[in-house]
Amino acid sequence: MAAGAAAAAAILLPLMNRRQIYRLRAPASGREALAAVEPGTVYVDRETGEEMRPVTRTLPLAPSESALLRVPENLRACRRCDQLIGLDVSDCPYCGLRQPALDGGS
Ligand SMILES: [Zn+2]
């Protein structure tokens, strides 16, 4: 790799989303937090002391070229109004049309 390419990679790496962020929830209180989860680690709510469990992954799914939520690969066009909307929304925020489920693949 040329020195120029290595320098460019070093500049771009912080913009990438390499670690998956999870939404964690404490079952009894329903309190939530967002964190990059390490396997085998127990996460505890600092207010209640409850163990927090991962309930879902957040967009963008890792690894991806950007940590930004609204990049083209995380958008789709509403089939009624043609507005660009997030892959993670169930109803179009512009016209209210229910969006079809995704196949679950990433
Ligand atoms: Zn729409």
Side-chain angles (χ1 to χ4, degrees):
M1 179 182 287
I11 291 166
L12 292 175
L13 281 177
L15 302 175
M16 291 182 60
N17 180 42
R18 287 178 292 166
R19 297 182 67 204
Q20 180 62 52
I21 304 293
Y22 287 81
R23 179 184 301 276
L24 306 173
R25 186 176 299 145
S29 67
R31 287 170 54 87
E32 294 188 334
L34 298 173
V37 173
E38 297 291 341
T41 304
V42 175
Y43 293 85
V44 176
D45 184 345
R46 81 175 87 169
E47 298 286 325
T48 66
E50 277 183 275
E51 182 178 343
M52 302 190 85
R53 304 217 167 104
V55 290
T56 189
R57 297 181 293 173
T58 63
L59 292 176
L61 299 177
S64 61
E65 291 185 10
S66 173
L68 297 173
L69 179 59
R70 297 304 177 214
V71 293
E73 57 262 33
N74 290 327
L75 297 172
R76 61 178 161 181
C78 173
R79 64 186 193 281
R80 179 192 287 164
C81 69
D82 263 352
Q83 292 292 322
L84 287 175
I85 58 177
L87 284 176
D88 57 332
V89 299
S90 56
D91 298 296
C92 175
Y94 302 98
C95 73
L97 181 69
R98 172 71 65 177
Q99 299 299 307
L102 301 174
D103 63 8
S106 55

